[in-house]
Amino acid sequence: MDFPVLLGVSDTVYRDFSKDEYRAMSTEQKVHAMIEKSLVSLLDFLSMTRETLKNELTDFISIESASIDKGGYGYSARTAADLGFSGMRTHLIDLGGASVTGAVGQVRSIILADPDSVVLVAGADVPRSSYHVGIVLQRLNEAVIHRELELDNGATLIS
């Protein structure tokens, strides 16, 4: 039996932008900028052009961003279109803190059903700017992530 191959992973954190650039963006713009920057990094890593990926891509999985209070299938389709991808199956994962793991499970299901599938997973979340939410996120990070290897990155795919 053939097994799916993970070709690459890319993640973007707020520190990848200048402070002025990041502050000037709306929350929705931040989410899009993070996904876009991660896609560019992934394509660079794979030595692939966006056009090549566009021609090979069969499925797009979007991890819903709770921070922009928008969701549903339309969010996933719009995210794919914003990245320049259309004409493929789109899927949406919204499992709170388990969305990345859920997306990996969805990729596995897709590839087991169609071994020729090429799947792109994208998602970004920007913490809402509120003192209370910031403290909760900080406490969560300190409790569950590795102090030396992950704490500097926060609750991200890198972690």
Side-chain angles (χ1 to χ4, degrees):
M1 171 179 243
D2 293 329
F3 294 97
V5 176
L6 178 65
L7 296 180
V9 175
S10 179
D11 197 15
T12 301
V13 295
Y14 73 94
R15 286 180 296 203
D16 293 336
F17 301 91
S18 73
K19 283 184 179 181
D20 292 337
E21 176 186 20
Y22 190 78
R23 285 184 186 147
M25 290 187 266
S26 69
T27 301
E28 192 166 351
Q29 289 171 326
K30 289 174 185 175
V31 167
H32 178 75
M34 287 184 166
I35 292 173
E36 178 68 31
K37 193 170 191 68
S38 290
L39 177 62
V40 169
S41 295
L42 178 64
L43 291 172
D44 286 347
F45 173 77
L46 296 173
S47 298
M48 182 182 281
T49 66
R50 192 179 301 241
E51 194 62 33
T52 301
L53 179 60
K54 182 178 180 178
N55 292 332
E56 298 296 325
L57 200 58
T58 61
D59 293 78
F60 176 78
I61 298 175
S62 174
I63 297 173
E64 186 169 343
S65 174
S67 67
I68 57 175
D69 293 324
K70 294 184 180 174
Y73 181 76
Y75 173 77
S76 184
R78 193 183 98 220
T79 301
D82 286 349
L83 293 172
F85 304 123
S86 60
M88 79 212 57
R89 298 173 296 224
T90 58
H91 315 268
L92 179 70
I93 301 293
D94 180 12
L95 299 173
S99 293
V100 172
T101 305
V104 171
Q106 180 71 25
V107 169
R108 182 180 183 277
S109 295
I110 291 167
I111 293 177
L112 287 175
D114 179 4
D116 293 329
S117 295
V118 175
V119 184
L120 175 65
V121 178
D125 207 355
V126 178
R128 291 183 179 102
S129 58
S130 137
Y131 181 74
H132 176 70
V133 173
I135 292 297
V136 170
L137 184 60
Q138 179 183 352
R139 288 182 182 157
L140 176 65
N141 285 345
E142 290 172 354
V144 300
I145 62 181
H146 192 280
R147 194 167 297 283
E148 293 174 19
L149 302 177
E150 298 174 317
L151 193 56
D152 287 344
N153 296 310
T156 65
L157 186 54
I158 294 172
S159 298

